[in-house]
Amino acid sequence: GDGASSCTSCAEGKVAAAGSTSADDCEYAPCSAGDYMTASGCQQCGENTFSGDGASSCDSCPEDKVSSAGSSSVDDCYYEPCSAGDFMTDSGCQQSGCQQCGENSFS
């Protein structure tokens, strides 16, 4: 502020542009991919979700796909490996899920 003899640092995890004049100018830095913004700063996206840079929420993986916590792209979502007795089916170029082996067959 006016007449200040030194600068005060923003609270931990917050940033402000050069020349800022008050604590109100301090904001949380945008979150990196895999995290999302909350009232108290960046939080990691949970399992089966993902986010890009600067996200305010996490997106869910497409139906029947899973991902690790902190995933940063829909490309991180994948089908879980099939259990014994099931096999992965294809629908065009996309994997569509597990299907049970038919009679007189196994996996």
Side-chain angles (χ1 to χ4, degrees):
D2 290 338
S5 60
S6 66
C7 296
T8 303
S9 296
C10 290
E12 186 176 344
K14 291 189 173 187
V15 297
S20 295
T21 58
S22 97
D24 293 339
D25 296 330
C26 298
E27 299 177 338
Y28 286 107
C31 301
S32 38
D35 292 345
Y36 68 101
M37 182 60 69
T38 69
S40 58
C42 295
Q43 296 289 320
Q44 186 179 61
C45 289
E47 290 182 346
N48 309 326
T49 65
F50 64 93
S51 72
D53 287 328
S56 58
S57 65
C58 301
D59 295 314
S60 295
C61 285
E63 187 176 350
D64 296 330
K65 288 190 173 185
V66 298
S67 70
S68 301
S71 292
S72 59
S73 164
V74 67
D75 294 335
D76 293 334
C77 299
Y78 60 93
Y79 289 106
E80 287 190 279
C82 295
S83 303
D86 291 348
F87 67 101
M88 183 64 68
T89 61
D90 290 330
S91 174
C93 294
Q94 296 287 328
Q95 292 182 318
S96 59
C98 297
Q99 184 172 334
Q100 189 173 39
C101 292
E103 190 174 334
N104 303 324
S105 64
F106 63 93
S107 71

